[in-house]
């Protein structure tokens, strides 16, 4: 079996091979720790995000990091491999009474976790709703400095079509996409919105699916 590829996956098979191989990698305990402490994402998904951060060919854009598990995985990948790419993360912020990962202030917890894991200087944190003009302007400012985003991670309200309509001009061709809650028994309305919007994008030939991993995270890329 080949060792972990030092590049972004270009086919669904590449992605499945990465997910399998990371389970025996020395860094995998980090993803279990993040899942147990601060992230609602499966360790396999965090491993793939780590790989995306490590080998992204440009900056990464993220919506809805919650308290930072996904952001830490992305940024740690870049730091560990020596990739200069930065993560721009947009978080609306509020309190959230999650059964295992509760916080009274999402933004404060997110900032503290980024600092605790030593990646705060790799992350541009923007507070607000992704479809607010002020947030779009802030992301455009990052784009003007760094160039197009090569990876786009979305864990927000399920309205993927609206987010892509606004942000596609800032994304690189064949930008890799990661969308959470494609399967989400605890949030059926969000799951229905996420699935229907991704299906519409697929029918229009705008996105290519690579598969669903962990507890329901969709991976693919722009066509």
């Amino acid at each position: 079996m080949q060792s972990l590829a030092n590049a972004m996956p270009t086919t669904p098979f590449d992605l499945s091979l990465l997910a399998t191989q990371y389970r025996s990698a020395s860094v995998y305990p980090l993803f279990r720790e993040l899942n147990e402490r601060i992230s609602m994402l499966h360790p396999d998904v965090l491993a793939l995000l780590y790989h995306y951060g490590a080998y992204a060919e440009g900056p990464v854009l993220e919506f809805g990091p919650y308290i930072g598990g996904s952001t830490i995985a992305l940024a740690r990948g870049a730091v560990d491999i020596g990739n200069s790419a930065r993560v721009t993360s947009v978080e609306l912020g509020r309190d959230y009474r999650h059964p295992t990962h509760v916080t009274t202030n999402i933004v404060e917890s997110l900032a503290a976790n980024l600092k605790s894991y030593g990646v705060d200087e790799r992350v541009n944190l923007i507070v607000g709703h992704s479809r607010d003009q002020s947030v779009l302007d802030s992301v455009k400012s990052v784009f003007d400095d760094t160039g197009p985003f090569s990876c786009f991670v979305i864990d927000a309200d399920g309205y993927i079509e609206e987010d892509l309509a606004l942000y596609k001009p800032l994304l690189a061709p064949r930008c890799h996409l990661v969308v959470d809650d494609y399967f989400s028994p605890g949030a059926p309305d969000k799951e229905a919105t996420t699935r229907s919007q991704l299906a519409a994008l697929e029918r229009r030939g705008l996105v290519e699916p690579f598969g669903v991993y962990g507890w329901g995270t969709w991976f693919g890329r722009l066509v």
Side-chain angles (χ1 to χ4, degrees):
M1 179 181 292
Q2 290 181 324
S3 60
L4 292 168
N6 297 333
M8 294 293 281
T10 59
T11 68
F13 177 78
D14 291 342
L15 190 67
S16 66
L17 188 61
L18 283 172
T20 300
Q21 290 183 324
Y22 265 106
R23 292 180 198 135
S24 59
S26 60
V27 72
Y28 197 80
L30 169 66
F31 313 130
R32 287 198 295 263
E33 176 187 322
L34 289 173
N35 168 253
E36 291 169 0
R37 292 191 61 239
I38 61 176
S39 180
M40 291 177 273
L41 297 175
H42 190 283
D44 285 358
V45 171
L46 294 167
L48 292 173
L49 292 177
Y50 174 93
H51 188 91
Y52 279 20
Y55 298 106
E57 296 176 353
V60 177
L61 179 61
E62 177 187 34
F63 291 171
Y66 188 48
I67 56 174
S70 54
T71 321
I72 291 164
L74 288 161
R76 273 290 300 272
V79 170
D80 288 355
I81 305 300
N83 189 342
S84 62
R86 294 180 60 84
V87 180
T88 294
S89 192
V90 177
E91 173 55 56
L92 177 60
R94 59 189 185 282
D95 66 335
Y96 187 57
R97 306 297 173 171
H98 187 267
T100 57
H101 301 321
V102 64
T103 178
T104 57
N105 188 311
I106 290 174
V107 172
E108 285 185 2
S109 297
L110 170 58
N113 287 329
L114 295 178
K115 185 173 183 179
S116 175
Y117 280 86
V119 296
D120 52 313
E121 294 186 358
R122 280 298 190 105
V123 179
N124 306 313
L125 178 57
I126 298 172
V127 178
H129 194 287
S130 62
R131 293 188 287 280
D132 286 348
Q133 186 61 47
S134 61
V135 170
L136 179 58
D137 290 343
S138 295
V139 177
K140 282 182 177 177
S141 179
V142 174
F143 166 84
D144 289 341
D145 291 336
T146 65
F149 296 96
S150 65
C151 181
F152 189 12
V153 181
I154 306 174
D155 186 2
D157 57 9
Y159 290 92
I160 315 304
E161 289 184 284
E162 286 85 343
D163 286 330
L164 280 181
L166 283 174
Y167 287 90
K168 190 175 180 181
L170 309 183
L171 306 179
R174 311 292 279 175
C175 174
H176 284 264
L177 302 174
V178 182
V179 181
D180 195 34
D181 295 310
Y182 188 84
F183 181 68
S184 183
D189 292 342
K190 184 178 177 183
E191 175 188 311
T193 303
T194 300
R195 285 197 182 193
S196 64
Q197 298 220 348
L198 281 171
L201 290 165
E202 290 177 32
R203 285 194 301 270
R204 290 157 56 197
L206 298 178
V207 301
E208 174 188 6
F210 274 16
V212 177
Y213 286 82
W215 293 308
T217 304
W218 181 97
F219 284 76
R221 66 180 178 184
L222 291 180
V223 174

